[in-house]
Amino acid sequence: MDIVKLYESWCENATEDKDIVKELCDIKNNEEEIHERFYTSLTFGTAGLRGIIGAGTNRMNIYVVRQATQGLANYVINKYGSGSVAISHDSRIKADLFMIEAARVLAANGIKVYITRELQPTPVLSYLVRYFKCQAGIMITASHNPAKYNGYKAYGEDGCQMTDAAATAVYDEICRLDMFNDVKITDFDEAVKSGMIEYIDDSVYDDYLEKVLEQQVNPGACKGADLKVVYTPLNGAGNKLVRRVLDKIGVEKVCVVKEQELPDGNFTTCPYPNPEIREALQKGLDLCEKEQPDLLLATDPDSDRVGIAVKDSDGSYRLISGNENGVMLTNYILSCKKEQGKLPEHPVVVKTIVTTKLINKLCDKYGCELKNVLTGFKYIGEIILNLEKNNEEDRFLFGFEESYGYLSGTYVRDKDAVVASMLVCEMAAYYKKQGKSLAQVIDELYDEFGYYINKTYSFEFEGAAGMQKMADIMANIRNNIPEKIDEYKVIRVCDYQLKKEFDLVGDDNVDIHLPTSNVISLNLEGDNCVIIRPSGTEPKIKLYITAVGKTHDDAVEICDRLVDSAKKTLGF
């Protein structure tokens, strides 16, 4: 069907959502606007769906959600015969509506549905899948994207985001469906009355919190520490559970950023609600100037990631990167458990390939096995699953990624800002009792292991032309590997699409035993590194820079030169 006919079909059939009806009417005779909405369909991948809210096959709306859910229903029925699915949502625009529409489709297909009464963090959805022994799960969220986006994350029966194979199977089912004629749907209220859709009792969240509390390293550390925290949920789903867990561990002084306390999918005070970005934390930093806390916590809209700022020696508030926080938490867990005699035999820490190499030094120090996985927390979840299959899940101590996602424990299979917030506060209290701030802790680690500066840069490529531009850039770098980045020789190249690691100074070429991914890592002299990776969820290419220096200023200067050289090499 050509684009015009597809648009006309929507005008005829997409009549249930008044916002879509108005949008279709508004773009009538506007070829460019019609093309952007209908030139393609949102692709169902391992991160599910994500797109701008609106009308069309290339937008997030009830019809795209229904079609995706029918595909998921077909997958569940084909694989399991029947089953159950848990669904939740965060504060995104239309997130509760999309949850209800997904539930209606599943119930119409004879699949039992467990849904939340209100928004919940993404890690809670992972927990619900495992708690109810579901065959799948759905989280309606666009994570940290701007307000105009929403998304649909699909989970497998293990509580991990769907594997590549499962996502492909669901996508194949979706592609066979006409979204207006092939989707089963039932009345929501009738499905609730019949028990096909069931609201989840609040006691389940108490069980979840108990599992979070079990991850404490030094129970009671916060009591008597006089720890003061400023917290912002960035108008998302973390507000209730993060504050509850901090209260339970004895953090008595929690000041909440009022403008960002309640759910608001418009994110009016932080247009890009990403804790990696200073602007998103500005309201929290402003409150820090007034309240003078020990640290600032900020959870993203679906509360699976947390960013922090800590009080520095000059009284200012220093933003701590995802890598730095992950290094501190790993060091805290390993050092305390070793001192307590609680390190398991052959402990395991997991990180993604774009996460700081400084963690390698820590793992060497404590005799801990470090596993590297592709970007995406589901791969960390898969490591836990494999350990569990061998009855070795107790070996897993910590998993994290540079983009502010952390997990301690095996009760969920996704990153969890609730447990991360708890551990950050516990860690801050533990060191405060020793007279140290977290700023001092990370600086001491740099003094011991070297100054590792990690920076991430994103380059956006909007629309159909942008996707082709991204593909061209990756093909060019793959076919024309540079000899140097700045003055540093490229000594090893890891091409995760070819699944090969090439030794450019010797002949030690090896296979990469990870799933295929369009990522290229240029490993340089001096442990420096440049990684190029197209985002799996957004129309952008990400550049990950690792610079290692003898001092902080030295590392920053090297990083700046690597960035400039890498951008020129890639044609940015």
Side-chain angles (χ1 to χ4, degrees):
M1 185 179 294
D2 66 31
I3 291 174
V4 173
K5 288 184 178 179
L6 191 55
Y7 165 73
E8 291 172 349
S9 173
W10 272 65
C11 290
E12 180 181 349
N13 293 290
T15 58
E16 296 175 64
D17 186 322
K18 63 181 181 181
D19 294 333
I20 290 179
V21 172
K22 181 179 184 305
E23 185 175 343
L24 291 170
C25 182
D26 289 344
I27 64 173
K28 186 177 182 180
N29 298 323
N30 189 325
E31 292 183 7
E32 182 178 348
E33 291 294 336
I34 291 172
H35 182 267
E36 279 299 316
R37 287 162 177 78
F38 292 97
Y39 82 92
T40 188
S41 297
L42 292 181
T43 300
F44 189 97
T46 55
L49 301 167
R50 191 175 298 184
I52 296 169
I53 302 164
T57 55
N58 192 34
R59 295 290 188 266
M60 282 295 297
N61 51 68
I62 61 172
Y63 305 104
V64 168
V65 167
R66 287 174 181 176
Q67 182 187 37
T69 308
Q70 183 63 56
L72 179 64
N74 292 350
Y75 166 80
V76 169
I77 292 168
N78 291 340
K79 184 172 182 179
Y80 303 100
S82 186
S84 61
V85 176
I87 317 178
S88 189
H89 67 91
D90 65 5
S91 61
R92 291 274 162 183
I93 295 168
K94 294 186 182 287
D96 53 348
L97 172 63
F98 292 167
M99 178 185 73
I100 288 171
E101 294 302 305
R104 292 175 65 196
V105 172
L106 291 166
N109 283 272
I111 295 172
K112 170 82 175 187
V113 185
Y114 298 96
I115 64 170
T116 57
R117 291 186 182 276
E118 61 180 2
L119 75 172
Q120 293 293 341
T122 286
V124 169
L125 185 277
S126 176
Y127 184 76
L128 295 175
V129 171
R130 293 169 56 77
Y131 182 90
F132 289 109
K133 296 181 172 56
C134 295
Q135 282 61 55
I138 301 168
M139 181 69 190
I140 305 296
T141 177
S143 187
H144 56 276
N145 284 71
K148 64 181 180 179
Y149 284 85
N150 208 333
Y152 179 113
K153 287 184 180 179
Y155 288 73
E157 62 180 333
D158 55 0
C160 289
Q161 286 190 49
M162 278 194 166
T163 63
D164 297 341
T168 298
V170 173
Y171 185 55
D172 288 344
E173 293 291 339
I174 293 171
C175 291
R176 297 187 185 103
L177 300 170
D178 180 291
M179 65 175 59
F180 296 120
N181 298 313
D182 296 338
V183 176
K184 298 177 182 178
I185 194 130
T186 191
D187 182 79
F188 180 79
D189 291 335
E190 289 299 320
V192 171
K193 288 179 183 178
S194 71
M196 286 302 297
I197 297 175
E198 180 180 331
Y199 281 106
I200 296 165
D201 188 80
D202 288 349
S203 63
V204 178
Y205 309 125
D206 296 333
D207 293 337
Y208 161 80
L209 279 182
E210 287 302 314
K211 296 296 183 184
V212 171
L213 290 166
E214 288 174 8
Q215 309 314 314
Q216 294 176 87
V217 179
N218 289 291
C222 293
K223 295 177 181 177
D226 195 35
L227 190 73
K228 188 173 185 179
V229 177
V230 164
Y231 171 57
T232 172
L234 296 179
N235 301 116
N239 187 36
K240 288 188 177 181
L241 289 180
V242 170
R243 292 169 72 175
R244 280 184 65 189
V245 80
L246 296 188
D247 179 67
K248 284 180 177 291
I249 65 172
V251 182
E252 298 176 351
K253 298 179 180 178
V254 178
C255 306
V256 180
V257 178
K258 290 300 180 184
E259 302 96 323
Q260 297 173 341
E261 179 179 12
L262 299 179
D264 179 5
N266 292 301
F267 307 115
T268 52
T269 62
C270 53
Y272 200 82
N274 183 348
E276 298 178 64
I277 297 174
R278 185 181 186 90
E279 287 76 11
L281 305 185
Q282 193 57 55
K283 287 291 183 183
L285 291 169
D286 292 345
L287 187 57
C288 284
E289 293 300 322
K290 175 184 176 183
E291 297 291 342
Q292 293 295 301
D294 296 287
L295 72 148
L296 163 69
L297 285 175
T299 53
D300 68 341
D302 65 325
S303 197
D304 61 353
R305 304 189 308 145
V306 62
I308 69 172
V310 301
K311 197 169 188 178
D312 217 335
S313 56
D314 62 359
S316 66
Y317 284 86
R318 173 174 166 184
L319 296 183
I320 299 296
S321 73
N323 278 311
E324 289 175 322
N325 196 18
V327 166
M328 285 194 293
L329 286 168
T330 303
N331 180 70
Y332 173 64
I333 292 168
L334 289 175
S335 62
C336 288
K337 285 189 177 292
K338 183 175 181 180
E339 183 179 335
Q340 297 163 357
K342 293 181 179 179
L343 264 185
E345 191 174 355
H346 308 304
V348 171
V349 168
V350 190
K351 76 172 187 69
T352 59
I353 58 175
V354 298
T355 298
T356 180
K357 293 182 178 182
L358 178 50
I359 208 71
N360 300 50
K361 306 279 189 179
L362 275 175
C363 288
D364 288 344
K365 177 178 179 179
Y366 291 102
C368 181
E369 181 181 356
L370 177 64
K371 291 183 179 290
N372 282 284
V373 297
L374 294 178
T375 303
F377 220 86
K378 67 189 174 101
Y379 296 113
I380 296 177
E382 285 182 354
I383 295 292
I384 299 173
L385 177 62
N386 291 333
L387 290 170
E388 184 181 59
K389 287 178 179 177
N390 294 320
N391 295 315
E392 295 180 333
E393 60 266 35
D394 290 343
R395 291 177 58 200
F396 175 78
L397 289 183
F398 196 59
F400 79 103
E401 56 188 6
E402 49 74 40
S403 55
Y404 295 59
Y406 315 97
L407 177 64
S408 176
T410 62
Y411 59 100
V412 297
R413 299 298 159 81
D414 209 344
K415 49 190 177 283
D416 187 350
V418 180
V419 76
S421 296
M422 180 191 77
L423 287 173
V424 165
C425 290
E426 182 192 308
M427 175 173 65
Y430 174 83
Y431 288 118
K432 185 175 182 179
K433 287 181 177 179
Q434 298 177 20
K436 294 181 184 179
S437 69
L438 290 184
Q440 289 173 295
V441 170
I442 189 61
D443 285 341
E444 288 178 358
L445 289 170
Y446 283 142
D447 288 339
E448 181 177 359
F449 297 113
Y451 282 76
Y452 281 70
I453 300 295
N454 300 90
K455 295 288 185 180
T456 304
Y457 297 86
S458 296
F459 304 90
E460 295 193 10
F461 301 87
E462 294 284 358
M467 297 302 291
Q468 184 58 51
K469 178 66 173 176
M470 288 168 60
D472 292 344
I473 289 171
M474 294 304 294
N476 182 61
I477 192 69
R478 181 168 281 114
N479 294 325
N480 300 280
I481 298 295
E483 293 183 2
K484 291 183 177 181
I485 300 292
D486 192 55
E487 66 184 49
Y488 299 95
K489 288 183 180 178
V490 179
I491 58 175
R492 296 188 76 86
V493 177
C494 297
D495 191 325
Y496 294 90
Q497 182 161 288
L498 300 179
K499 301 177 75 168
K500 293 285 186 181
E501 183 175 333
F502 302 99
D503 183 353
L504 302 190
V505 296
D507 57 0
D508 185 23
N509 300 330
V510 297
D511 293 333
I512 295 174
H513 299 289
L514 292 174
T516 302
S517 183
N518 189 16
V519 180
I520 298 172
S521 175
L522 306 176
N523 298 281
L524 315 176
E525 296 172 304
D527 218 17
N528 299 295
C529 186
V530 174
I531 299 176
I532 308 104
R533 170 184 167 263
S535 171
T537 58
E538 302 168 88
K540 61 178 61 174
I541 283 181
K542 292 187 176 182
L543 195 63
Y544 301 85
I545 305 292
T546 297
V548 186
K550 295 179 181 178
T551 66
H552 177 269
D553 290 345
D554 183 31
V556 169
E557 191 266 337
I558 293 171
C559 184
D560 289 342
R561 287 193 283 114
L562 289 176
V563 171
D564 289 342
S565 180
K567 286 168 67 177
K568 290 177 183 176
T569 300
L570 295 171
F572 293 156

